[in-house]
Amino acid sequence: MSSLTLLLPSIIFTFFLPSVADPPRLATDKSALLDFAAATPHARPLNWDPSTSPCLNWTGVSCNADGSRIVALRLPGLGFVGPIRSETLARLSALQILSLRFNAFEGSLPSDFANLSSLTALHLQNNHFSGNIPPLISNLTRLVTLNLASNSLSGEIPDLQLPSLKFLNLSYNHFTGSIPPSLLRFPDSSFAGNKISPFPPIITAPPLPPSKKLSVGALLGIIAAGCALGFAALAVSTVLCCLRLKKESMEVVTGGKAMKGKWPMEKMEAVSQEGNNTLVFFNGSTLAFDLEDLLRASAEVLGKGTFGAAYKAVLEDGTTVVVKRLKEVGVGRKEFELQMEVVGRIRHENVAELRAYYYSKDEKLMVYDYFSQGSLYSLLHGKRGEDRVPLDWETRLNIALGAAVGIAHIHTQNNGKLAHGNIKSSNIFLNEQQFGCVSDLGLAAAINSTALSMSRTAGYRAPEITETRKPSQLSDIYSFGVVLLELLTGKPAIQIVRGGDEIIHLVRWVQSVVREEWTAEVFDVQLLRYPNIEEEMVEMLQIAMACVVRVPEKRPQMAQVVKMIGDVRKFDSINWLSTEARDD
Ligand SMILES: *[C@@H]1O[C@H](CO)[C@@H](O)[C@H](O)[C@H]1NC(C)=O
Ligand SMILES: *[C@@H]1O[C@H](CO)[C@@H](O)[C@H](O)[C@H]1NC(C)=O
Ligand SMILES: *[C@@H]1O[C@H](CO)[C@@H](O)[C@H](O)[C@H]1NC(C)=O
Ligand SMILES: *[C@@H]1O[C@H](CO)[C@@H](O)[C@H](O)[C@H]1NC(C)=O
């Protein structure tokens, strides 16, 4: 026999096998799904083709990262009718999320769901399930979300010992009796529309630690922020938030295709000829260069907005900085310098340093640290490919914590009165430890134009900010909440859809989804591949929602936010907060 004939069968084998052979556990999961689909009539067709892998394209099915198990099944509103046959879905033993809401499932809740020991979210609302809640549900110890609202369930509510449970909705069923002790921590609206009576005494929540009242009026000239002295990737967001507002004044360098070359010379030469052409450095700055060096540096346009441009400048000694060139400055020299002094003193690993500034009649420059990894905005929403690595949950937590610590530190400055005024994902970078780091501090204060603040920061702007009411620490907290929502959902703060006809505000979208109790569905699909993080994600979602409440005084203070984020992962947030000025 020739070696060729020996090889042939194995070639054929490798060619044809992969389309049918799933990993063994996946094959088990797949047959469970197919048994379920075959046993349960559904009005809308499923594209579950037995000859393909369920991980590729099956409606409602999500697998883990290596495609070896099914971890989420979402079949909302597909017209399923009838009972769930036992020994079908219960075989999906790696399942973390199960959503069957808005169908016409009936009969009792399958008691074999107790086998789904990895389950963190169970959404069965708006069906016709009847009978009792089986006490075996207590086996689902990882459950974070349990929504059984709007069914026909009856009997007494069992004393479910579910330590991780954060969202519970049993409303609009036929439950009787009283609320068991383990569930008293949930609000009345978790139990509305039942025949539960009498309600046991309401246990009031422990009071929050007292928080300092802010004297908003005393904020030192922290004024309206602009968007968009941004970075290359930010150009996209600039387009988004400015599109409808002031199109004609935009010059945007589109993503990634930054222009390279020397500084625009005409103007800059004028600068160098002026008498007092020195850059003002801050104490401890390790950069040794002067304006001449800066002018000689090769510059790359990172982004241009209505009120200035940002350049990446590589000095002859190799140092890279970001130079922000302000077109319009709304404050006088004295006030500008005063601001810069406050900002320039800040040395913290979660706040990008303002290295130097330059102020003359014709030219105002601010020199910041440069971060090579791009902004959080570009990491989350930039073009996939080349420089875009999907952000894992760990990194997102670290970014959130770092940025929170940075903002909390800013809020302690200038006698506790300093605000950033322009918190958004394009102003957040990763420091060397891969924690979040807040940039562009001081810029908002230098640009005294309410009109800009009205248009530029759309998706991040707290509702209380008006013509007369300037950004404050409380509005920083709102904006930070929006950044948290971006981290959780993977969606930008504002999206323009339908050819520009409709604007979707992330905050409003999340609020509406959470109101409908589809909590699991707000999260970035890219995060689904990481096991056992639903609880942490839900906790972060709660923090974000607390930050974006309408009434400013009801938002937590930044130091509290740091502590709450620290608690999500048991970070040592207290140590973080006390990180004082670095010794330079
Ligand atoms: C996935 O399914 C959709 C419709 O269900 C179909 O249009 C698409 O071509 C499928 N993609 C793959 C890669 O099979
Ligand atoms: C569920 O678990 C029980 C006990 O561990 C086992 O006997 C049963 O076969 C399991 N059912 C399914 C559908 O896996
Ligand atoms: C429920 O949990 C108990 C104790 O952990 C275990 O013995 C039992 O097999 C579980 N039941 C099912 C159906 O998984
Ligand atoms: C539970 O669901 C009902 C009906 O959808 C809703 O009105 C109620 O606000 C929900 N309760 C909670 C705590 O989310």
Side-chain angles (χ1 to χ4, degrees):
M1 221 194 287
S2 80
S3 58
L4 185 65
T5 45
L6 260 178
L7 264 175
L8 209 51
S10 70
I11 291 171
I12 292 169
F13 197 66
T14 42
F15 255 95
F16 290 99
L17 196 64
S19 65
V20 284
D22 300 309
R25 304 299 303 274
L26 185 62
T28 315
D29 286 352
K30 180 172 159 180
S31 73
L33 277 184
L34 291 171
D35 288 353
F36 164 74
T40 325
H42 41 281
R44 290 172 53 194
L46 292 169
N47 65 350
W48 294 358
D49 177 352
S51 68
T52 61
S53 161
C55 298
L56 288 184
N57 204 15
W58 285 25
T59 303
V61 178
S62 310
C63 294
N64 56 0
D66 65 5
S68 62
R69 296 304 303 269
I70 291 172
V71 293
L73 181 62
R74 293 190 174 86
L75 303 169
L78 289 176
F80 280 95
V81 181
I84 297 175
R85 161 98 64 89
S86 64
E87 308 258 318
T88 56
L89 294 183
R91 278 149 55 200
L92 297 168
S93 56
L95 207 60
Q96 294 171 31
I97 296 171
L98 178 58
S99 173
L100 304 175
R101 63 191 166 83
F102 288 98
N103 282 289
F105 285 109
E106 58 186 46
S108 50
L109 297 178
S111 58
D112 61 2
F113 275 11
N115 290 35
L116 300 172
S117 57
S118 300
L119 209 60
T120 57
L122 183 57
H123 299 266
L124 302 179
Q125 68 268 36
N126 297 84
N127 280 289
H128 307 315
F129 287 112
S130 56
N132 299 330
I133 298 180
L136 276 175
I137 292 287
S138 287
N139 264 35
L140 304 179
T141 51
R142 297 209 180 134
L143 214 54
V144 176
T145 304
L146 176 61
N147 195 335
L148 304 174
S150 303
N151 278 285
S152 301
L153 297 163
S154 57
E156 297 216 4
I157 300 167
D159 197 9
L160 300 169
Q161 303 290 337
L162 295 170
S164 304
L165 199 64
K166 289 277 186 315
F167 282 95
L168 174 72
N169 205 335
L170 303 177
S171 57
Y172 304 104
N173 280 286
H174 309 308
F175 291 115
T176 50
S178 59
I179 300 172
S182 62
L183 303 181
L184 283 172
R185 59 196 156 110
F186 294 99
D188 287 352
S189 65
S190 294
F191 307 97
N194 284 292
K195 293 184 205 114
I196 305 172
S197 109
F199 275 97
I202 290 160
I203 295 175
T204 48
L208 285 173
S211 57
K212 272 189 293 176
K213 264 256 151 49
L214 255 184
S215 62
V216 177
L219 289 165
L220 185 135
I222 296 300
I223 310 159
C227 94
L229 256 199
F231 297 77
L234 170 62
V236 180
S237 80
T238 310
V239 171
L240 288 182
C241 60
C242 305
L243 204 61
R244 330 185 76 211
L245 302 151
K246 240 191 167 177
K247 210 171 180 178
E248 67 288 353
S249 61
M250 290 296 303
E251 320 162 61
V252 168
V253 179
T254 44
K257 302 230 164 40
M259 299 190 309
K260 271 216 163 93
K262 282 301 210 185
W263 295 89
M265 285 310 283
E266 357 66 65
K267 202 74 189 286
M268 296 299 268
E269 269 163 39
V271 174
S272 64
Q273 274 149 28
E274 253 180 62
N276 184 21
N277 63 346
T278 49
L279 282 167
V280 180
F281 284 95
F282 295 105
N283 275 348
S285 176
T286 50
L287 294 180
F289 62 89
D290 58 20
L291 194 60
E292 295 296 333
D293 293 326
L294 201 54
L295 292 177
R296 270 199 305 272
S298 68
E300 183 182 321
V301 181
L302 292 171
K304 275 191 186 180
T306 346
F307 56 81
Y311 303 88
K312 169 184 168 185
V314 184
L315 304 171
E316 276 168 353
D317 72 352
T319 312
T320 308
V321 290
V322 174
V323 181
K324 304 249 162 162
R325 190 175 178 198
L326 313 184
K327 224 195 277 180
E328 280 172 61
V329 167
V331 296
R333 183 181 196 119
K334 267 259 124 51
E335 197 178 341
F336 185 84
E337 286 176 353
L338 212 63
Q339 264 306 315
M340 295 305 108
E341 281 306 316
V342 171
V343 169
R345 270 198 301 271
I346 299 180
R347 293 280 179 279
H348 191 280
E349 56 200 46
N350 303 105
V351 181
E353 255 171 64
L354 176 65
R355 298 290 190 156
Y357 71 90
Y358 176 88
Y359 188 104
S360 74
K361 194 160 130 290
D362 298 315
E363 194 70 53
K364 285 98 190 161
L365 305 174
M366 294 169 79
V367 182
Y368 288 97
D369 282 346
Y370 174 78
F371 294 92
S372 58
Q373 284 185 84
S375 68
L376 175 58
Y377 181 92
S378 63
L379 291 170
L380 278 176
H381 318 300
K383 279 213 193 78
R384 277 159 208 267
E386 311 147 35
D387 44 357
R388 193 178 135 156
V389 197
L391 281 180
D392 60 27
W393 177 238
E394 201 72 23
T395 310
R396 292 186 207 210
L397 273 176
N398 292 348
I399 292 172
L401 182 65
V405 169
I407 298 167
H409 183 76
I410 291 168
H411 286 183
T412 64
Q413 299 297 296
N414 198 25
N415 300 323
K417 284 180 277 175
L418 191 63
H420 183 286
N422 195 13
I423 300 287
K424 52 185 181 174
S425 59
S426 53
N427 279 342
I428 293 174
F429 295 84
L430 268 72
N431 68 11
E432 275 168 21
Q433 293 78 38
Q434 304 296 298
F435 281 82
C437 180
V438 181
S439 184
D440 277 24
L441 177 61
L443 208 60
I447 297 151
N448 183 2
S449 167
T450 328
L452 283 176
S453 85
M454 295 312 287
S455 62
R456 297 286 142 174
T457 52
Y460 298 92
R461 193 181 60 236
E464 71 273 15
I465 295 183
T466 60
E467 298 277 345
T468 50
R469 219 166 154 189
K470 306 288 194 283
S472 64
Q473 293 189 345
L474 293 176
S475 64
D476 277 355
I477 291 158
Y478 180 96
S479 309
F480 179 72
V482 179
V483 172
L484 285 185
L485 292 178
E486 275 181 273
L487 281 166
L488 285 162
T489 61
K491 293 180 172 23
I494 196 165
Q495 263 179 300
I496 297 181
V497 292
R498 307 218 176 116
D501 285 346
E502 201 183 316
I503 293 186
I504 301 179
H505 284 263
L506 181 58
V507 171
R508 279 180 231 151
W509 178 75
V510 171
Q511 282 167 342
S512 70
V513 174
V514 171
R515 215 176 6 254
E516 306 273 329
E517 278 294 278
W518 309 345
T519 312
E521 289 163 44
V522 306
F523 298 123
D524 189 347
V525 286
Q526 286 196 40
L527 290 173
L528 276 182
R529 70 180 84 177
Y530 307 105
N532 308 327
I533 61 167
E534 169 122 344
E535 186 177 350
E536 292 180 347
M537 292 196 300
V538 169
E539 281 176 28
M540 285 290 271
L541 181 61
Q542 288 175 323
I543 298 169
M545 300 300 280
C547 291
V548 298
V549 296
R550 237 194 135 68
V551 182
E553 290 73 24
K554 288 196 175 159
R555 294 174 202 147
Q557 302 239 325
M558 211 57 214
Q560 280 173 281
V561 174
V562 170
K563 174 154 191 328
M564 291 190 280
I565 297 176
D567 286 346
V568 169
R569 234 335 144 72
K570 315 290 174 276
F571 288 108
D572 196 351
S573 59
I574 304 303
N575 282 353
W576 273 85
L577 249 192
S578 60
T579 310
E580 276 309 325
R582 290 202 303 259
D583 303 314
D584 290 281

